[in-house]
Structure formats: C-alpha cells, structure tokens
Amino acid sequence: MNTVIFKTSVQNRIDMIAVKPVFNLLFGKQNWLFSFDDKLLKVMTTVPCADMIKAILRENGLVGEELRFA
C-alpha cells in the first residue's frame, strides 16, 4: 500500500465536513488521516488517486498539492 500526502488549504473541521464521507467511501475510514496542525492529508491506497483527491478537494473549495519525496 502506498501513502499519498497533500498539503491542503483546509482551515478547520468545517472544511472537512463535505469531503469526509467521500474519503470514507472511497478509501475507508482507516485509510486516510488529516492533521490540522500542519494541514496535511495522508491517504493510504493501492491505486493511483492523486488527481481524484485533488478534484474532490477542488469541488469543495479547497486546494491540495501533492508532496513528493525523493
């Protein structure tokens, strides 16, 4: 399983209300995590999904930039 990490524009829990059910449905409750301290979204997945995650965030007025590690 791979972990995809995004730096987001999420400001508070209200911003997460719309995306939470979608992420739970697509990835499962245990396969994604959001940290309000550093505004990072971490998604554990077996399939490429970065574009889909960015689209879900964008549809809800949020921005997500995938972080890539060397």
Side-chain angles (χ1 to χ4, degrees), residues 56-67:
I56 293 167
L57 292 171
R58 188 173 44 250
E59 287 172 4
N60 289 281
L62 302 167
V63 177
E65 177 185 339
E66 183 179 5
L67 301 179

Side-chain angles (χ1 to χ4, degrees), residues 3-13 16 19 23 31-44 53 57 62-69:
T3 301
V4 183
I5 302 173
F6 291 86
K7 182 75 172 172
T8 71
S9 65
V10 172
Q11 295 298 312
N12 53 46
R13 296 188 188 284
M16 293 300 294
V19 296
F23 287 161
N31 292 323
W32 69 278
L33 172 69
F34 185 79
S35 170
F36 286 98
D37 293 334
D38 50 16
K39 300 179 183 178
L40 292 180
L41 170 66
K42 299 176 184 178
V43 179
M44 286 67 73
I53 292 170
L57 292 171
L62 302 167
V63 177
E65 177 185 339
E66 183 179 5
L67 301 179
R68 298 187 184 249
F69 301 95

